[in-house]
Amino acid sequence: MKIEKHWGISLLAILAIGPGLMLNTALNSIHEILQKNFNNQSYISITPVLIGIISFAFFIPFGPILRHKLGERRTYVLSMCMFLIGAIISVTSTSFLGMGIGRFLQGIGTGLTLMMMIPMLVLSFPISKRNLALVILIGGFYGSSVTGIFLGMLVNCYGHWKWLFYVAIAFSLLGICLSYKFLTNNHSKQQQKNHLPFDIIGLTLMFIFTAFIAFTLLNLQKTGWTSTYVWIGIVGSIIFLCFLFIAEWHIKNPLIPFRLVIFPKPALAILIAIIGNISMSLSLLSLQGLLKESSNFSKGDISLIYIGLFIGIAIAAVLSTILYDKVGPGVLGIIGAIIIMGVNLQWIYSEGNVPAFLFVSSFVALIAGVGLTVAAGLMGAALGGPLPDLVPRMVTVQFIRVIISAMIPVSSSVILEKMYKDNLIKVSEGEQVASKENFTQSLHLKSEIITYHTFSSFSCLLSFLVLCLSLLMFLTGKGHKLAHKPHDKPEGEKESPNEKSNDKKLRELDNHPSFEDSPKQSFFGVSENLSPGIIGDIEYRRTLKKFQQVKKCSDKTLYMGDQEYRKALKRFKNIE
């Protein structure tokens, strides 16, 4: 059976990125089991998770660079081999040190493939069906993270964890085999016109910054907010983040081009994606905690309840694919935020025994709502500026997003523990009176329920913030569309060779190794300092509107092809 290339690229992308995302979320929920299994108190159980996520974030900018140097197939195989070796080391290790080394290699493999495969995935689809890429981006990548939550639940119920890495090893081997069918090394044959120096300053500052982040989170998990080391790490992280921002702003070929995401639409999109992710984490902690404390459900029932996660993924993927081009990222974020708010409001006021159906419907709605906000955030950032800047802009977005995602589980677990202890003290003080009234509920159970309801309240406030940000994004407009038809082409007319070459050029946008030639964008989206060969997106659209004011003849409407538009635009702007 012949598989079309865009579906083959989609499969390779899921096999390369999905296992890494799955392990990150699965291992985060089973670190207590790992601590008991290794019986080693010199390393805290969250260490392998943090090492994997931090190395993942650090190596995101190097994927497009290696693809240009080595070719897409060699880069893909190299990344998958790194991930494969890391998974083998992790599954055979008998200590957190060995597992940490394995997770470091897995993070490298996932980071290198992320921003190599996502542009290839989107641009491999025909331009009229490019919205189908959202099925893979939401259903495949976001779905892999949610699948890790489900697998972590299975490990917590039944105790075995090594099979998680066996699944990752199998996916890696399959990806390496399929890469020889769908990938080539043509990009390595292209000659680089501009030999720009490598961003050594940015690399150094990025390494120091990520090291401070890891140092802070490890000490936070071990000693809490009162530790001096935690605050030293926080101050150091902020200082070197500022240094990194200033350095990357002025360097011509930065690894992390922050200047591409400070404009309204991409900045709002990043905030929507990050805050939506935090809201999901708090909501899931609340739902999972309440589900665990409910004595009415067996392990089998809990496994069936978690099936709602996959239904939510499917709903988010389908709705994002259908609605994104029609309503834009702003409306999509509004819908997602309203759904999340509804779920949390329901659980804030829930009391007593809760039926299984309510848990299932809450999982479905929560995952679907967060999926819509993820689609709005990531695609709004990707398409929220000039298309030639898509790859470097998304490198910056993904670096920020993954760094924040490393902070969420550690911070939330520390806050959860602190709130639980405070609530336990309050409940204990009131128990002396309540016991006279035959109050039989345990102190620990009551304090945990109060804590989980508080987390639902925090998540509700965050989803309201996402709603406000989505309204602001709506005011900035829909932005670029993912899928569209060729400009003004009559029905039944064949696509000319010149029009075919336009889509081919779009597919080559992500091959450039540096970001020096990316046009600078003003606050209102108008491109500045454009080279003679580049036409700004806003100017192009405005001029097209002028040339589209054509008169109708008696027999047919006059049409002007894409190449004619560009030639007319060049004459209009006196570009030779």
Side-chain angles (χ1 to χ4, degrees):
M1 181 179 65
K2 183 179 179 181
I3 302 177
E4 295 185 18
K5 185 176 180 180
H6 53 273
W7 294 119
I9 297 295
S10 301
L11 178 59
L12 289 179
I14 293 175
L15 292 174
I17 303 169
L21 300 177
M22 177 194 74
L23 287 175
N24 287 341
T25 52
L27 293 177
N28 180 63
S29 59
I30 66 169
H31 54 83
E32 293 181 359
I33 292 179
L34 294 177
Q35 189 78 50
K36 294 178 181 178
N37 185 80
F38 291 133
N39 194 24
N40 187 346
Q41 300 301 322
S42 60
Y43 291 89
I44 55 177
S45 55
I46 201 69
T47 304
V49 181
L50 287 178
I51 291 176
I53 299 178
I54 294 296
S55 62
F56 173 28
F58 183 82
F59 283 91
I60 286 175
F62 300 99
I65 298 174
L66 279 183
R67 179 190 174 187
H68 178 82
K69 297 292 184 182
L70 303 178
E72 57 191 31
R73 184 199 293 165
R74 293 192 187 98
T75 304
Y76 185 90
V77 172
L78 173 64
S79 303
M80 295 296 281
C81 287
M82 296 286 284
F83 186 90
L84 178 62
I85 295 171
I88 294 173
I89 293 175
S90 296
V91 79
T92 57
S93 61
T94 58
S95 66
F96 280 127
L97 178 60
M99 193 173 185
I101 295 173
R103 291 289 298 147
F104 177 74
L105 295 175
Q106 291 172 51
I108 294 175
T110 307
L112 291 178
T113 53
L114 182 68
M115 282 315 300
M116 181 188 82
M117 294 306 300
I118 288 181
M120 287 178 59
L121 164 66
V122 175
L123 297 175
S124 65
F125 280 84
I127 194 170
S128 60
K129 301 179 181 179
R130 201 159 280 169
N131 60 320
L132 293 177
L134 277 174
V135 174
I136 308 301
L137 294 174
I138 301 301
F141 299 157
Y142 171 65
S144 297
S145 297
V146 176
T147 301
I149 299 172
F150 175 78
L151 298 181
M153 178 274 301
L154 293 180
V155 172
N156 282 319
C157 287
Y158 301 103
H160 305 287
W161 60 272
K162 290 190 175 182
W163 60 271
L164 294 173
F165 291 95
Y166 293 140
V167 172
I169 290 172
F171 284 163
S172 300
L173 292 173
L174 181 60
I176 292 173
C177 295
L178 292 178
S179 66
Y180 288 92
K181 178 177 177 60
F182 296 107
L183 299 181
T184 62
N185 287 314
N186 294 334
H187 296 292
S188 62
K189 299 177 182 178
Q190 298 176 357
Q191 294 183 354
Q192 183 179 348
K193 295 180 180 180
N194 299 320
H195 297 278
L196 297 172
F198 185 74
D199 184 13
I200 299 294
I201 296 176
L203 175 64
T204 304
L205 292 175
M206 189 169 66
F207 176 79
I208 299 174
F209 168 67
T210 53
F212 265 105
I213 290 291
F215 174 81
T216 304
L217 295 176
L218 289 174
N219 283 281
L220 177 61
Q221 179 71 20
K222 190 173 184 179
T223 59
W225 295 101
T226 58
S227 172
T228 304
Y229 294 110
V230 171
W231 291 103
I232 291 175
I234 292 174
V235 173
S237 300
I238 295 173
I239 291 174
F240 280 96
L241 176 61
C242 294
F243 287 161
L244 178 63
F245 183 88
I246 295 171
E248 300 297 85
W249 182 274
H250 293 91
I251 293 175
K252 292 183 177 180
N253 61 326
L255 285 172
I256 310 291
F258 290 105
R259 61 174 175 263
L260 298 179
V261 297
I262 64 168
F263 306 105
K265 188 177 286 293
L268 289 171
I270 292 175
L271 291 175
I272 289 172
I274 291 174
I275 297 175
N277 195 10
I278 298 174
S279 179
M280 181 188 73
S281 299
L282 297 181
S283 298
L284 280 176
L285 272 174
S286 176
L287 283 175
Q288 289 175 306
L290 292 171
L291 181 59
K292 182 179 66 175
E293 297 303 330
S294 177
S295 58
N296 299 328
F297 304 117
S298 63
K299 293 180 180 179
D301 294 334
I302 293 176
S303 301
L304 292 176
I305 289 173
Y306 270 76
I307 298 297
L309 298 175
F310 299 101
I311 300 175
I313 294 169
I315 293 174
V318 173
L319 289 182
S320 299
T321 302
I322 296 174
L323 296 179
Y324 184 85
D325 283 344
K326 295 181 180 180
V327 301
V331 175
L332 214 59
I334 291 172
I335 297 172
I338 292 174
I339 294 174
I340 301 172
M341 287 178 62
V343 173
N344 285 289
L345 285 172
Q346 184 179 34
W347 284 101
I348 289 174
Y349 299 104
S350 65
E351 294 181 359
N353 293 328
V354 180
F357 175 76
L358 186 57
F359 279 107
V360 174
S361 60
S362 297
F363 278 130
V364 172
L366 176 64
I367 297 303
V370 175
L372 294 177
T373 61
V374 169
L378 295 184
M379 297 312 300
L383 303 177
L387 292 180
D389 295 334
L390 187 148
V391 176
R393 183 165 55 249
M394 284 308 296
V395 165
T396 308
V397 171
Q398 293 290 359
F399 176 78
I400 297 173
R401 179 172 172 268
V402 175
I403 286 292
I404 297 296
S405 69
M407 303 178 186
I408 295 173
V410 177
S411 302
S412 59
S413 63
V414 173
I415 294 173
L416 176 65
E417 184 178 358
K418 178 65 168 59
M419 291 178 60
Y420 167 74
K421 291 179 180 179
D422 293 342
N423 289 326
L424 184 60
I425 294 174
K426 293 180 181 179
V427 172
S428 299
E429 293 174 353
E431 180 69 11
Q432 296 176 357
V433 178
S435 60
K436 299 177 182 180
E437 301 174 359
N438 298 322
F439 184 79
T440 59
Q441 190 176 21
S442 68
L443 294 176
H444 293 283
L445 179 60
K446 189 173 181 179
S447 60
E448 286 179 352
I449 291 176
I450 294 174
T451 303
Y452 294 139
H453 284 175
T454 305
F455 266 46
S456 294
S457 301
F458 286 158
S459 180
C460 188
L461 291 175
L462 290 175
S463 58
F464 178 74
L465 181 57
V466 172
L467 176 63
C468 297
L469 294 172
S470 299
L471 287 171
L472 292 176
M473 177 175 281
F474 171 74
L475 297 178
T476 64
K478 291 183 180 180
H480 296 287
K481 287 186 176 182
L482 270 174
H484 58 82
K485 296 179 180 180
H487 297 294
D488 299 321
K489 190 175 70 174
E491 295 181 3
E493 181 179 329
K494 294 183 178 179
E495 192 176 14
S496 66
N498 288 334
E499 289 173 337
K500 291 181 180 179
S501 66
N502 292 334
D503 194 53
K504 182 179 179 182
K505 291 178 180 178
L506 283 174
R507 299 170 189 269
E508 295 172 354
L509 286 176
D510 59 324
N511 301 333
H512 202 283
S514 68
F515 310 135
E516 179 188 30
D517 297 331
S518 299
K520 296 180 180 179
Q521 189 184 35
S522 69
F523 183 83
F524 295 100
V526 180
S527 300
E528 301 173 352
N529 299 330
L530 296 171
S531 62
I534 298 177
I535 299 171
D537 180 73
I538 299 299
E539 294 90 335
Y540 178 62
R541 290 177 180 272
R542 288 175 179 171
T543 310
L544 285 186
K545 290 181 180 179
K546 295 182 180 181
F547 283 104
Q548 284 172 346
Q549 297 172 355
V550 295
K551 297 180 179 179
K552 293 186 177 181
C553 297
S554 57
D555 54 345
K556 64 178 182 178
T557 302
L558 297 178
Y559 290 92
M560 186 177 291
D562 184 76
Q563 289 299 313
E564 286 78 8
Y565 275 125
R566 291 181 178 273
K567 291 178 182 178
L569 179 60
K570 289 182 179 180
R571 290 196 297 270
F572 177 78
K573 297 181 68 176
N574 294 322
I575 299 178
E576 299 180 357

